[in-house]
Amino acid sequence: MFKKLRNKAVFSFCIFLCIVVGGTYLFYYLFSEEFYVMKKKKVMNEAFQVLKTLDLDDTSLEYHTFFQKYEEESFFLLICDEKFQTVYVSGGKSKERSERTQMQKNQKRYVIDAKATANRTEEGTKICLRGKIVQDGGTYYVFIYENTGILQKSISYVQDFSRYVLLVLVILGGIFACFAAVRIAKPVEEMNRITQKIAENDFSVRVKVPTSDDELGCLARSINQMAEKIQRDMNELNNYNYLLIKKNKDMAEFEDMRKVFVTKVTHELKTPLAIISSQVQMLQYDESKKEYYCESIMEEIDKMSHMISQLLNDSFLEDRQKQTKVERRDVSALVQYMIPKYEAWLSTKKIRFLTEIEKDCYADIDPVQIEQAIGNYIMNGYNHTKSGGTMRLLLRKEEKMLYLSVYNEGERISESEREKIWEKFMQLGTSEENDGRVGLGLYIVRDIVQAHSGQCGVENREQGVEFWIRIPKG
């Protein structure tokens, strides 16, 4: 269940919500009343200290700003003189008489340095302060009281409400976490799929780069750059590999040809050499026929020369025929198979890739070599097409030939360079534009096409260049 990053993110976010909201709820449940009692005790102590500074014998005492300030507090305040007559009362005048009676009975509990105290009962926590103030020879008794019973009821309501809030937040948080996780995990899953394709040697795939410039966007662009670099390097490696294989094959076939040639020459020259040797010997004994023997020797030498030339021609002709092993194949199907791989690659440069493939184009070809030739044309077009440009691949049947071309928008090729581009290591453009290229692609195309008894060339068009191949139909 938690193997996927998305599920882990959702689960972790829900756990975080439970810890934060649930912790808040638990903290409120355990310490809300204690916090309230502590704050009330502090307010009562402050109020008592302020009362000591007031003139409690003032008839307009009830209009003092002190009482207006503490009017919002929910506690009961009773001030009595030494005869236990009410000086000021607030927070429940119905209790005045009974509290004055209790004050008179418990007057010894009232002290000058009084502090608020709290006693927990079944009805709630009772917070009270019993203080005594002596002013101008007169004594005043101050009683401040509050019961948190009502507060406990309010706290229980808040606790019930908090449970519902916790449930709603977890549900909404889970939905939000799912949405956020999908936004994050989906690009990661896409990049994982693309990297697996690259690991399987499919370098044509590309990651859809997110519009954002965050770490995921940078990673996607880096993967695409890596795939493009690997694809370009693989293409160049294939070109080198083609040349190496061809060279090794030529060397091996040349060695076989040399052995055959030596055998043939050795066998074929035995007779003429024997004739020449006998006639040279005859010249020593019969000078009367010197002219005849000389003409005969020259004739045999001419025969040997012709024989050697014929053997050489036959050997090289046989070598040329062995270079390419062909089979009848559907070139249309071969090209259609190649198109998807290159479309994905060209899209990274926003190149519009158009194709026009005629069906049932059969020919006697080496499919690996023809595919490499077409790939080199497409690679060449890619390198010389600006971002957002157009390329077109065309395959059609002519009277006796198949015609294949790759067109790309870009700079046209001058007449002086049209033949040079088919040479080894020939590159057009600046060194910066050709960074990472070696200029073997078109040379290999010409070599492959010639081995198939075909022709290749290039034509300048109105807005670009078209490279073409013609090979005999099969």
Side-chain angles (χ1 to χ4, degrees), residues 40 43-44 47 51 61-80 85-100 103 127 129 141-147:
K40 281 296 182 179
V43 172
M44 288 182 181
L51 283 174
L61 182 65
E62 59 180 321
Y63 301 107
H64 196 278
T65 55
F66 165 80
F67 297 103
Q68 296 177 0
K69 176 182 177 181
Y70 288 95
E71 190 71 29
E72 298 177 356
E73 299 291 339
S74 59
F75 51 67
F76 173 78
L77 172 62
L78 175 62
I79 304 175
C80 295
Q85 297 298 316
T86 301
V87 176
Y88 178 82
V89 62
S90 69
K93 294 185 179 182
S94 60
K95 300 180 181 180
E96 177 186 354
R97 185 173 181 179
S98 61
E99 292 299 337
R100 278 195 297 113
M103 183 182 292
I127 310 170
L129 183 147
Y141 297 92
V142 178
F143 179 68
I144 306 176
Y145 171 82
E146 181 176 350
N147 192 336

Side-chain angles (χ1 to χ4, degrees), residues 201-425:
N201 296 326
D202 184 359
F203 305 112
S204 62
V205 293
R206 295 294 184 271
V207 181
K208 294 181 180 178
V209 180
T211 55
S212 60
D213 291 329
D214 55 12
E215 290 82 355
L216 289 176
C218 294
L219 178 59
R221 281 186 286 273
S222 297
I223 291 175
N224 288 342
Q225 291 173 1
M226 176 189 69
E228 182 174 342
K229 181 67 165 57
I230 292 175
Q231 187 174 33
R232 186 170 64 246
D233 292 345
M234 287 296 294
N235 187 76
E236 298 297 343
L237 182 61
N238 287 336
N239 289 337
Y240 278 119
N241 189 49
Y242 172 83
L243 293 178
L244 182 60
I245 292 174
K246 186 175 182 298
K247 186 175 182 63
N248 290 337
K249 184 178 179 181
D250 290 345
M251 291 178 64
E253 292 179 351
F254 179 79
E255 179 64 20
D256 293 340
M257 182 187 65
R258 185 189 64 80
K259 292 178 181 179
V260 172
F261 177 75
V262 171
T263 303
K264 288 182 178 180
V265 168
T266 303
H267 180 269
E268 296 296 335
L269 294 183
K270 283 183 179 180
T271 301
L273 285 174
I275 295 173
I276 293 173
S277 177
S278 63
Q279 290 179 345
V280 169
Q281 290 177 0
M282 292 299 295
L283 281 173
Q284 298 176 359
Y285 302 108
D286 189 0
E287 292 187 2
S288 62
K289 296 184 178 181
K290 181 178 179 179
E291 183 177 355
Y292 167 77
Y293 288 134
C294 288
E295 290 179 357
S296 178
I297 290 172
M298 291 302 299
E299 182 180 350
E300 292 301 325
I301 291 174
D302 288 339
K303 288 181 180 179
M304 290 173 61
S305 177
H306 178 73
M307 186 183 301
I308 292 172
S309 300
Q310 187 63 41
L311 287 172
L312 286 172
N313 290 334
D314 292 344
S315 298
F316 282 112
L317 179 60
E318 182 182 2
D319 177 62
R320 180 177 295 276
Q321 291 173 347
K322 289 181 179 179
Q323 287 181 1
T324 304
K325 295 182 180 180
V326 299
E327 60 185 87
R328 190 170 187 272
R329 293 289 298 270
D330 185 355
V331 182
S332 301
L334 177 65
V335 174
Q336 289 287 2
Y337 172 77
M338 296 174 59
I339 288 173
K341 295 191 297 183
Y342 286 96
E343 280 181 336
W345 175 52
L346 295 173
S347 65
T348 62
K349 201 173 177 181
K350 298 181 181 178
I351 294 176
R352 191 170 56 147
F353 190 45
L354 307 177
T355 59
E356 185 177 345
I357 311 301
E358 188 174 348
K359 295 182 178 180
D360 300 326
C361 293
Y362 286 90
D364 295 327
I365 62 169
D366 184 333
V368 176
Q369 292 186 7
I370 291 298
E371 182 174 349
Q372 184 170 5
I374 298 172
N376 284 353
Y377 266 179
I378 296 176
M379 173 68 75
N380 179 73
Y382 172 87
N383 292 332
H384 294 88
T385 303
K386 296 182 179 179
S387 178
T390 300
M391 290 182 59
R392 181 176 66 250
L393 175 62
L394 171 67
L395 174 64
R396 67 169 183 259
K397 290 180 283 189
E398 295 181 345
E399 184 176 357
K400 295 182 179 180
M401 308 289 282
L402 294 183
Y403 177 86
L404 185 142
S405 68
V406 176
Y407 164 85
N408 68 275
E409 289 184 348
E411 294 184 2
R412 306 170 76 184
I413 301 174
S414 65
E415 293 296 325
S416 61
E417 294 174 330
R418 290 181 65 174
E419 290 300 325
K420 294 181 181 180
I421 60 176
W422 305 99
E423 298 174 2
K424 286 184 182 179
F425 310 111

